Amino acid sequence: MTAVVLPFRFARRLPQIRKTAAYMATVPGNHAEGHLREQLRRLEESLRKKGVAELEIRSEIGSYEGAVRAHLWRLLISQGGAA
C-alpha cells in the first residue's frame, strides 16, 4: 500500500510569508533574492524528505514564491518604495 503525502499549502502560511517579505524589503535587492532562494531551497528539501511528489513540490515552491513576492510588492508600494 502506498500513500500520497499532501502538505499544508505553504502559500497560506501568512506569518512566514509576511516575515520573509518584510525582511526582503529591508535589505539590498541581491541579498533579498539570495534570502528568498535559500528559503525556497529549504522548503524544497523539507518536502522532499517528507516524500512529497516532485510535481507537488514544484507547485508548492511556485505558490510560496508568488505569495512572498506579492506581499513584498504590497509592502513596497504602501511604503512608496516601488519607484
Side-chain angles (χ1 to χ4, degrees):
M1 183 198 288
T2 61
V4 176
V5 178
L6 297 174
F8 179 78
R9 299 290 179 206
F10 282 87
R12 294 185 181 166
R13 294 185 177 186
L14 296 179
Q16 180 72 26
I17 290 165
R18 289 179 181 135
K19 181 179 174 183
T20 301
Y23 176 74
M24 289 175 69
T26 65
V27 297
N30 61 342
H31 187 75
E33 287 298 319
H35 178 72
L36 180 57
R37 278 193 307 274
E38 180 61 19
Q39 294 295 314
L40 296 173
R41 186 196 62 75
R42 288 180 183 178
L43 173 58
E44 183 177 352
E45 183 178 295
S46 170
L47 292 172
R48 194 164 283 121
K49 283 182 182 178
K50 292 176 183 173
V52 176
E54 287 299 316
L55 186 60
E56 188 68 27
I57 290 172
R58 283 191 297 254
S59 175
E60 285 300 311
I61 297 297
S63 295
Y64 184 76
E65 180 179 9
V68 169
R69 290 187 185 281
H71 192 70
L72 176 60
W73 273 109
R74 282 192 291 275
L75 287 174
L76 293 174
I77 290 170
S78 70
Q79 296 170 359

